[in-house]
Amino acid sequence: MDDRQFRSAMGKFATGVTVIATEVEGEVHGMTANAFMSVSLDPKLVVISIGEKAKILNKIKESKIFTVNILAANQQELSMIFAGQLKKEVVFDRLDGKPVLPGAVAQVACEVSAEHVEGDHTLFIGKVTDIHLEDAEPLIFYSGKYRSLVELEPVNI
């Protein structure tokens, strides 16, 4: 299989859209990502996957903290800003002293508990230190496009 085919296959998995953020010497850094998942309930752990070429990689290694901001359906512009597609100033709030995006469906503050290099990515295991939730619909990404949720009628089997 070639890289394009692999990428296309992985794109068939519908995901939420997140912005990963960290802070070094008072400067906030962020990137759009969908490589995020929960790992453990006890202790509360999550994992993010950051590519070796991403500018934020060494920032997280240095700061030992990150936040995961699960974007709301109305935050597509933020996704594009942190993917480098738009230039715009962004204001951050704070959760447990860490930078988070206001209006995100969920803000998850983490301390790095472990990192593992696998292939061309580093997996950061984050110990969750705080969470803030909003009642909003999430932004969805599927097959290279932004999507929104549509509730389906239950099927009787």
Side-chain angles (χ1 to χ4, degrees), residues 45-46 58 114:
L45 300 173
V46 298
N58 288 324

Side-chain angles (χ1 to χ4, degrees), residues 1-9:
M1 87 199 84
D2 64 16
D3 290 352
R4 182 75 244 153
Q5 185 182 25
F6 181 78
R7 250 188 117 113
S8 293

Side-chain angles (χ1 to χ4, degrees), residues 93-152:
D93 282 346
R94 296 279 163 181
L95 180 65
D96 190 33
K98 299 166 186 69
V100 291
L101 291 170
V105 172
Q107 302 164 339
V108 183
C110 301
E111 295 172 351
V112 174
S113 68
E115 59 184 81
H116 305 277
V117 176
E118 295 295 337
D120 60 1
H121 279 63
T122 298
L123 305 176
F124 290 99
I125 308 295
K127 179 181 178 217
V128 177
T129 61
D130 205 354
I131 286 180
H132 176 78
L133 302 172
E134 293 286 336
D135 188 20
E137 290 293 315
L139 183 61
I140 304 296
F141 200 71
Y142 173 75
S143 211
K145 294 180 183 150
Y146 293 102
R147 311 287 178 123
S148 59
L149 286 180
V150 177
E151 249 184 269
L152 300 175

